[in-house]
Amino acid sequence: MENYTEQLAAKGYIEETIDPRLDLVQEINRLKKEKNAVILAHYYQDPEIQDIADYIGDSLGLSQEAAKTDASIIVFAGVHFMAETAKILSPTKKVLLPDLKAGCSLSDSCPPHLFAKFKEQYPDHLVITYVNCTAELKALSDIVCTSSNAVQIVDSLPRDQKIIFGPDKNLGDYVKRKTGRDLVLWNGACMVHEIFSQEKIDRLRAQYPGAKFIAHPECEEHILRQADYIGSTTGLLKYTIQNDADTYIVATESGIIHQMQKANPEKTFIPAPPNNACACNDCPHMKLNTLEKLYNAIKFELPEIDLPMDVINRARRPIERMLEISAQFGL
Ligand code: 13P
Ligand code: SF4
């Protein structure tokens, strides 16, 4: 992955220090208008980035938005696989990622050459891949899914259809339980969702007996078993709006709490504690993006997502199939 400084130098730019007196929000908004750019942000971004975005959403919502935008430039405040998905869906647009090093442990857990070998062992299986993977991996798939449509996508296939599901074994296990189907799973996981502490969550629940415990399906089974609600980031946010409880223990990346708190100022949100000394659940990849990097990205129109056209062409169909099936389910 070529880094930002190298891309800047290749285009003849020198990285400038940002004037500390500059009102970054105002400048980003001005540049956005001038360049017909749109900022798409995931819920795990820092609050200041979420607040300047034109659209904030989960992976499905962000893909749908990237597919329909008429902006010339998409600034993707998220991680690399998300910006790649936007590029695949809108190949003629310039797609920028404020920090090209913003990767994903789940995506890294499934190198395409190893997955291709794995797939060879199951020639009669259909391949469904979670969107948290590289464009190369999507190109090896039949259908892509996200956490908000994985169950419906599996359910939409004939009962006797054999399926490989990757790269997230926790989401795969969850889909198996929900659909009652036997999927062949790749053994990948997300570093943020794998470390929740059962013991600390039990203690919190005893301390707040009226609280609802809500979790993302990337969490392990023993955590999901206790949950009052399981869903994608958008699903979790909607649940906190529709539910009457005044306190929620939230087992996913802590960035989502910003929108939960904005939508429900009178309610209390407690991040579920991880199994380490830190009291936070930050995704180190998501948090690489900053307002300063976002400003530089929109100003220099760099760093840009660049994908070979053959990968774009092979990866687009599985993503489009996901969007079609989601539309059939009203998602
Ligand atoms: P969703 O926003 O689709 O729930 O995905 C969560 C996630 O881990 C993204 O990296
Ligand atoms: Fe990847 Fe997990 Fe970070 Fe999402 S939260 S980007 S799945 S490492």
Side-chain angles (χ1 to χ4, degrees):
M1 195 188 292
E2 215 182 344
N3 75 31
Y4 169 61
T5 313
E6 283 161 0
Q7 280 203 9
L8 260 187
K11 300 237 167 170
Y13 294 117
I14 299 164
E15 197 171 351
E16 293 169 35
T17 327
I18 298 172
D19 182 344
R21 291 163 303 178
L22 207 63
D23 182 336
L24 285 182
V25 172
Q26 199 180 311
E27 273 305 290
I28 291 169
N29 281 326
R30 184 185 65 75
L31 288 166
K32 212 165 65 175
K33 258 201 206 119
E34 185 185 303
K35 296 179 180 229
N36 186 28
V38 67
I39 300 177
L40 307 184
H42 188 265
Y43 290 121
Y44 295 166
Q45 292 294 285
D46 278 335
E48 57 183 7
I49 294 182
Q50 292 189 34
D51 289 346
I52 203 172
D54 298 291
Y55 177 85
I56 319 163
D58 67 359
S59 305
L60 177 63
L62 289 163
S63 309
Q64 289 165 331
E65 212 54 36
K68 72 178 185 210
T69 182
D70 52 16
S72 317
I73 299 178
I74 298 173
V75 186
F76 211 111
V79 290
H80 199 264
F81 76 80
M82 295 179 169
E84 276 188 341
T85 306
K87 182 69 186 174
I88 293 163
L89 287 167
S90 284
T92 58
K93 297 191 196 313
K94 193 175 261 189
V95 178
L96 309 173
L97 181 66
D99 191 323
L100 271 190
K101 289 192 222 71
C104 167
S105 64
L106 185 47
S107 177
D108 291 346
S109 70
C110 194
H113 69 286
L114 295 183
F115 189 79
K117 283 222 159 65
F118 177 72
K119 190 182 145 174
E120 275 170 19
Q121 296 169 49
Y122 306 96
D124 54 348
H125 285 53
L126 193 107
V127 178
I128 302 183
T129 50
Y130 187 34
V131 70
N132 297 35
C133 65
T134 59
E136 271 293 346
L137 205 81
K138 290 181 177 80
L140 293 171
S141 316
D142 296 296
I143 316 178
V144 167
C145 73
T146 75
S147 56
S148 48
N149 57 25
V151 170
Q152 289 86 345
I153 286 175
V154 170
D155 265 340
S156 74
L157 300 169
R159 288 297 298 181
D160 58 354
Q161 174 63 61
K162 294 176 182 164
I163 300 168
I164 296 176
F165 187 96
D168 188 1
K169 68 171 189 305
N170 292 323
L171 178 64
D173 263 331
Y174 171 71
V175 175
K176 274 169 86 167
R177 291 192 297 279
K178 290 295 277 186
T179 60
R181 301 194 36 168
D182 187 22
L183 314 178
V184 174
L185 302 182
W186 178 265
N187 187 16
C190 157
M191 63 191 288
V192 178
H193 291 86
E194 270 222 315
I195 57 163
F196 290 112
S197 158
Q198 174 90 58
E199 204 185 316
K200 291 181 193 169
I201 292 169
D202 288 347
R203 258 187 265 145
L204 265 181
R205 295 197 82 178
Q207 199 181 336
Y208 300 94
K212 294 288 181 198
F213 176 60
I214 60 177
H216 194 279
E218 284 176 25
C219 295
E220 293 173 304
E221 198 270 330
H222 69 101
I223 298 290
L224 295 180
R225 209 183 308 138
Q226 324 166 44
D228 295 300
Y229 176 78
I230 299 167
S232 77
T233 48
T234 297
L236 297 172
L237 175 61
K238 282 190 183 149
Y239 181 82
T240 66
I241 295 169
Q242 286 156 6
N243 191 269
D244 289 340
D246 57 14
T247 305
Y248 298 82
I249 301 165
V250 184
T252 192
E253 213 270 359
S254 55
I256 184 69
I257 290 181
H258 180 57
Q259 293 304 323
M260 290 177 172
Q261 202 69 76
K262 269 175 104 169
N264 308 279
E266 74 296 348
K267 295 184 181 178
T268 302
F269 298 96
I270 306 167
N275 226 337
N276 58 26
C278 174
C280 59
N281 314 313
D282 285 354
C283 168
H285 307 288
M286 286 278 181
K287 292 329 198 225
L288 277 179
N289 293 324
T290 61
L291 209 55
E292 286 75 15
K293 290 179 192 172
L294 189 82
Y295 164 73
N296 271 336
I298 198 163
K299 179 178 172 188
F300 294 113
E301 301 184 19
L302 286 171
E304 186 180 352
I305 298 290
D306 187 20
L307 282 171
M309 212 50 213
D310 76 297
V311 174
I312 291 184
N313 289 337
R314 284 185 293 126
R316 189 184 308 128
R317 188 64 201 130
I319 303 174
E320 283 175 351
R321 279 190 80 181
M322 166 184 85
L323 296 176
E324 286 157 16
I325 300 172
S326 299
Q328 284 162 20
F329 282 90
L331 297 168

